Amino acid sequence: MPLTLLATQGSKRVRLMQAARAQLRLPPAQVLEWRDWLAQPALLEHVLRQPGILKIEPPGDDPAAHLLLLQAGCRLLGRAPVRVPDHGELLAMDAWFAGFTSAMASLTAQLADLPQARVVNAPGEISLMTDKLACQRHLETHGVPIPALLGPVHGYEHLQSLLHAHDIDRVYLKPRYGSSASGVIAYRRNKTGRQQATTSAALQHGDGAARLFNVKRMASYESEHDIAALVDALAAQQLYAEAWLNKPRCGDSHYDLRVVTLAGQPAHRVARIGNRMMTNLHLDNRRGAAAGLLNAADLAALEQTAALAARAFPASHVTGYDLVVRHGQARVLEANAFGDLLPGLLWQGIDTYTAQLVHA
């Protein structure tokens, strides 16, 4: 069937999908630009007038689309419009999500009137996976093991009270609507009062307000002034805490795992190995073969837990899950509706994009 991508023309995701289609001798997918659809929703009805498949890719590859969603979210939340974010700036993520989830609701309504169109991942489930805290709660209610949740964090002082109430000194702090480790903080303190926040969010002080920028090189902040500014700035955009989960070791590094599920079954999997707290591959960490790191019990736990997580999203054909697997037990750190961007990673001899087409 013809394939339409709601995506950004020229993005890596589009290039990989078009290459996979060419390899299978299929015609190129039609691309509907996010910015064009947001401006003219009727374009979707035009491109899907014939039976076909729609795959929704993330809008973040296009700064213009990001800004449209951000400003729409400000209107929905009754806020004044925000300025244009600088490159990599973490700004009003909660307003962006309000715009994004509204767009996904509109897309759901449009698709209800287009029975000839089949969607790869349902917009409603994409929205749920993009709300990281709601997603973890959803997984938990479906029996999927996750790290213990401490819930929303309203600021630095609130964080300290949460740590005291739970009698712990180490947590991961995660933006509710972030992605790719943007703004994630590995926070720890000790009994002497020393504390450390390790993050890929670069903190800039200026004009009386802290500004945050997502960067590839992680930094560690140790002064209370900087850590408080960092936590407060992220909490203003919605932040939550989960219990610190030790990752298994690999030599002098540690790792977690990304598993892609297709039609509810685990397929591509890769270890993400690094010597810092965040192991996302775009942070210059390295890939490893999952089969070479996991024993039989760990591998069984990985596959069972990934399949269980996929069942929590029955209307999503291709999803990514980040897991920590130790001692025959697996916990899901995150579900990702756009978790198939793993260039060159093969499963049964084919990459993630070719696999989607073969198993469509």
Side-chain angles (χ1 to χ4, degrees):
M1 295 179 72
L3 174 66
T4 296
L5 303 174
L6 179 59
T8 302
Q9 187 70 267
S11 66
K12 182 179 291 186
R13 294 173 185 271
V14 170
R15 294 198 306 271
L16 289 169
M17 179 59 80
Q18 300 293 34
R21 290 184 69 82
Q23 184 179 13
L24 295 173
R25 298 184 179 178
L26 296 172
Q30 183 172 207
V31 179
L32 174 58
E33 292 265 8
W34 262 95
R35 62 169 75 183
D36 294 338
W37 174 68
L38 289 169
Q40 301 179 67
L43 288 174
L44 184 72
E45 295 151 21
H46 175 72
V47 301
L48 294 179
R49 61 189 181 279
Q50 301 296 328
I53 300 172
L54 173 68
K55 185 167 192 276
I56 303 161
E57 298 287 13
D61 291 323
D62 180 3
H66 181 89
L67 183 61
L68 286 170
L69 294 169
L70 183 59
Q71 301 295 22
C74 287
R75 291 193 296 272
L76 288 166
L77 297 176
R79 296 184 191 171
V82 296
R83 56 180 170 74
V84 178
D86 289 335
H87 179 70
E89 186 172 10
L90 303 179
L91 177 68
M93 288 184 280
D94 55 337
W96 175 89
F97 179 76
F100 177 74
T101 196
S102 176
M104 290 293 95
S106 297
L107 185 54
T108 298
Q110 277 193 292
L111 291 170
D113 294 328
L114 297 169
Q116 70 275 20
R118 179 158 59 91
V119 68
V120 175
N121 287 359
E125 291 191 355
I126 291 174
S127 290
L128 177 55
M129 282 186 262
T130 306
D131 182 340
K132 301 304 181 184
L133 177 56
C135 180
Q136 289 298 88
R137 288 170 169 165
H138 176 78
L139 289 170
E140 190 173 34
T141 62
H142 283 75
V144 180
I146 63 167
L149 293 172
L150 279 68
V153 174
H154 305 303
Y156 176 76
E157 293 301 329
H158 182 230
L159 169 63
Q160 300 305 313
S161 65
L162 277 176
L163 295 172
H164 178 74
H166 290 271
D167 193 26
I168 55 177
D169 292 313
R170 300 189 303 169
V171 290
Y172 274 90
L173 305 174
K174 298 184 175 182
R176 184 164 181 167
Y177 312 116
S179 63
S180 302
S182 299
V184 173
I185 301 171
Y187 175 88
R188 51 191 173 182
R189 66 181 188 181
N190 63 23
K191 302 304 181 185
T192 68
R194 283 194 62 189
Q195 54 185 327
Q196 182 184 71
T198 302
T199 180
S200 61
L203 176 66
Q204 292 186 8
H205 295 284
D207 300 325
R211 297 178 67 188
L212 302 175
F213 293 85
N214 191 42
V215 295
K216 289 183 67 174
R217 185 177 298 277
M218 285 190 291
S220 291
Y221 297 93
E222 297 188 354
S223 76
E224 184 175 49
H225 176 263
D226 284 342
I227 294 174
L230 180 66
V231 173
D232 288 346
L234 288 167
Q237 304 177 54
Q238 295 206 35
L239 186 70
Y240 71 98
E242 67 180 28
W244 187 291
L245 200 60
N246 288 325
K247 296 179 180 179
R249 303 295 301 183
C250 173
D252 59 355
S253 302
H254 54 250
Y255 67 93
D256 60 15
L257 298 126
R258 163 66 60 88
V259 179
V260 177
T261 61
L262 292 172
Q265 295 302 311
H268 300 75
R269 69 282 309 268
V270 63
R272 310 185 305 178
I273 305 171
N275 54 17
R276 303 296 295 272
M277 281 74 169
M278 272 65 90
T279 54
N280 300 66
L281 294 174
H282 77 284
L283 296 174
D284 292 334
N285 294 305
R286 65 187 188 275
R287 293 183 182 187
L293 293 168
L294 304 180
N295 59 32
D298 287 341
L299 184 58
L302 176 136
E303 297 199 342
Q304 291 166 6
T305 304
L308 181 62
R311 286 199 289 275
F313 299 100
S316 295
H317 181 72
V318 53
T319 51
Y321 299 96
D322 298 336
L323 303 97
V324 166
V325 184
R326 297 184 71 198
H327 309 308
Q329 294 184 322
R331 286 182 173 80
V332 175
L333 302 176
E334 181 176 314
N336 191 331
F338 308 118
D340 54 355
L341 182 59
L342 294 164
L345 180 66
L346 303 183
W347 173 249
Q348 297 181 345
I350 55 178
D351 66 23
T352 57
Y353 291 90
T354 305
Q356 293 171 49
L357 298 172
V358 171
H359 298 286

